[in-house]
Every structure is written in C-alpha cells, then in structure tokens.
Amino acid sequence: MLRGLYTAASGMITEQRRHDTVTQNIANINTPGYKQVNSINRSFPDMLVSLMGDKQSGYAKRIGKLTTGVFAEESMSSFVQGDLRETGKASNFALMTSLSLNDPATGQPIPFDASGKYVSEDGEVIYRPEAFFAVMDNNDEVRYTRDGNFTVTANGELRTSTGQRVLNNQGNPIVLAQGQSLEYMQSDAQGNLFTYDDTGTRVDVATLGVSVVNRPQELVRDGNGVFRAKDPEAADIQPLPQQGLEGVQVRQGYLEGSNIDTAQAMVDLLAAQRAYESNQKVIQFYDKSLEKAVNEIGRV
C-alpha cells in the first residue's frame, strides 16, 4: 500500500514541474526570441514481483511487474524558428535559420522533423544546428541569444534589452564611434553593419557576432532567453563565416517572436492540472484505507 503512496506522490511532483514549465512558456509568449521548454518525464525502473516459495522446493511464482512511479527527468528547449515580426526599427535584428546537416554514412541531408530532431536507425538522436547572436554578460562570459532587440548606450556600446554587450565577429563588444547611430546604418544578410558618407561611399562599421551551434542540446538556459555553453567543444560552436552560410540570414528591422504554440500550451496546462488532481485523489484514498486499517481493523 505504501508503494502506491510513493507512486502517486511522485506523479504529483512530476505534474507540478510540468505545470511550472508550461506556465513559464505562457509567461514568455511575447518575449522576443524565447524558445519553448518541454518537460521530459521518465518512469522509474519496473520491479519484478514474485511470490517466494518454500525452502525445500525453492519454487517462486512470478506475479508480474510493479511500476514504481514517474519523475521529471529534464527540460529540453525547442529551437524551432519563431515567426518574424517587422518592426521597422534599425536597431532590431532577427536570425532566419534553416540549416541542414548531411548524414556521414550516406552523404544525404538528414530529414529533421518539425522540432529539429532526427533519430537514426541505431537510436542516435541528432539535432539540427542553430544560429545565435553572441553576447557578453557583466562577468565577461560569452552567452548566446536569439533576442535581437538591441539598444545603444551613451558611450556607444551595443547592448541587448537585458543589458548584455553584443559581440562582433572577432568576439569583442561592438562600440560605435562618436556620432554614429544605428538609425542610419544598414545590415546585409551576413550581419555586416555599414553606412554611407557624404560622398556616397560605403563605410563598414562592424559585423554582428553570429555563432552556429552544431549541437544546441548542449546549451544550458541562463535566464531571459539567454543560453550558455558548459562545454563549448561539446556544443561544437563555430563563428559564422565572413562569406555567410547557406541557411542563416540576418534581417534588420525584424524581431523573432517566441516559438510557443499557445493552443498546445493551454492543453498541456490543463492536462497537468487534471493529472495532479488524479494523483491527489489516489493519495486521499490510500490515506483513508490506512486510517481504517489502523483505527478499525487493528482494534479487533
């Protein structure tokens, strides 16, 4: 009976975490570049239950398997491309990505599903490479984001909406010269910022630092739509080549919206609530059964 209590309790904890994850997604529907989080649940290993036999025969009758509950193993980020929204602001940038990857065995493009994942015949899970803006926090640590809502400080530093410094293709913070303004600058598809002088000559200002993460599942959320790489080598992070890369485009005057499916999020929210209530009723049933066993049956 106590095993049932533990199973129901683990279900309640799991559904609570699932509910919190969906709530976080809903709260960030309007956050530029936000990537949806999916809660991955796993069951505990099944136990083989047998009826022990007598000492002479040693015969044990197999009863069956006992499921010992479920737990929230991890939260996975979905890096699916969000919709681009035109803002008309020169300080807004968005990344349009549709990177492909070839299978080393066949040389053919890997057919990723809608979530950017592919499972090979031998069970290996492969994720589609993704591109991010490279930024630097106050501790001089490199971070990665899809939020291109940039601003310029009084001293000319290009920063994100959360105050992180935007890096160039050399890994250094972008600082505009005195008198320069993003409002008068243009950007090409590779993120090269440029303007024109009085004679009509193009003047290159800087190049936005765009990094291609070949294993985005290795990134860790750092809050505010920002990711960090615990092991850059494991994540296989490469700078965007100067000549650009097919499948990656920088769009000026646009912002990438969150990739949250609002309808599915509401369904998941209600499902988590109903599952939580069901496990709660199971615990109440076990509680009443234990009360009856102790106070009534045990009194006989």
Side-chain angles (χ1 to χ4, degrees):
M1 185 177 293
L2 291 179
R3 288 175 178 172
L5 276 174
Y6 295 143
T7 301
S10 68
M12 290 181 65
I13 295 174
T14 299
E15 294 305 328
Q16 180 181 0
R17 292 180 178 175
R18 179 186 176 193
H19 184 277
D20 293 343
T21 299
V22 179
T23 303
Q24 175 185 336
N25 290 334
I26 295 176
N28 287 277
I29 287 178
N30 296 321
T31 301
Y34 181 83
K35 298 304 177 184
Q36 176 175 303
V37 183
N38 299 317
S39 180
I40 308 299
N41 301 332
R42 295 285 187 272
S43 62
F44 287 107
D46 293 338
M47 297 175 59
L48 184 62
V49 182
S50 299
L51 180 64
M52 301 300 294
D54 55 66
K55 293 183 179 180
Q56 281 120 9
S57 64
Y59 174 75
K61 182 180 180 181
R62 179 174 297 180
I63 299 177
K65 292 183 179 181
L66 175 67
T67 302
T68 55
V70 66
F71 67 103
E73 183 180 37
E74 60 181 336
S75 296
M76 296 290 293
S77 299
S78 172
F79 295 101
V80 175
Q81 174 78 48
D83 295 333
L84 298 192
R85 174 171 55 89
E86 186 174 6
T87 64
K89 294 183 178 180
S91 59
N92 291 159
F93 298 87
L95 288 174
M96 176 73 75
T97 59
S98 57
L99 291 168
S100 60
L101 195 65
N102 293 332
D103 190 340
T106 62
Q108 299 297 321
I110 295 178
F112 294 103
D113 60 16
S115 65
K117 183 176 67 174
Y118 171 74
V119 181
S120 63
E121 295 181 355
D122 57 0
E124 181 184 3
V125 180
I126 303 174
Y127 293 88
R128 181 169 48 210
E130 299 292 340
F132 298 85
F133 293 113
V135 298
M136 182 177 289
D137 61 14
N138 294 329
N139 297 322
D140 295 337
E141 298 288 341
V142 179
R143 298 291 185 259
Y144 305 94
T145 183
R146 293 291 289 257
D147 183 2
N149 186 16
F150 300 152
T151 58
V152 180
T153 63
N155 58 357
E157 287 186 334
L158 190 61
R159 291 181 176 260
T160 66
S161 58
T162 56
Q164 295 180 325
R165 290 166 288 177
V166 181
L167 302 181
N168 59 19
N169 58 342
Q170 303 297 323
N172 300 316
I174 296 178
V175 181
L176 302 182
Q178 186 176 5
Q180 289 183 336
S181 173
L182 278 178
E183 300 302 323
Y184 302 101
M185 291 185 187
Q186 301 179 35
S187 172
D188 58 19
Q190 286 75 44
N192 297 309
L193 300 177
F194 61 92
T195 186
Y196 293 95
D197 59 16
D198 296 336
T199 63
T201 304
R202 171 170 166 166
V203 178
D204 293 327
V205 178
T207 301
L208 294 174
V210 178
S211 297
V212 177
V213 183
N214 291 295
R215 300 188 185 94
Q217 72 275 12
E218 297 292 337
L219 296 178
V220 179
R221 284 183 176 267
D222 209 33
N224 298 317
V226 178
F227 297 86
R228 60 183 173 88
K230 294 177 61 176
D231 187 350
E233 292 186 1
D236 193 7
I237 302 176
Q238 305 292 334
L240 186 70
Q242 293 185 357
Q243 68 274 16
L245 190 66
E246 185 177 356
V248 180
Q249 289 186 358
V250 178
R251 304 287 298 273
Q252 186 180 22
Y254 289 82
L255 280 179
E256 180 185 359
S258 65
N259 63 352
I260 299 170
D261 187 339
T262 308
Q264 186 61 46
M266 294 304 300
V267 171
D268 293 341
L269 192 67
L270 293 175
Q273 181 180 355
R274 295 291 183 266
Y276 184 92
E277 292 173 351
S278 299
N279 284 286
Q280 187 180 33
K281 291 183 181 298
V282 171
I283 290 181
Q284 292 174 348
F285 169 78
Y286 277 117
D287 181 62
K288 292 179 180 179
S289 300
L290 287 172
E291 180 184 5
K292 184 178 291 292
V294 173
N295 295 333
E296 298 181 15
I297 299 177
R299 188 181 302 169
V300 176

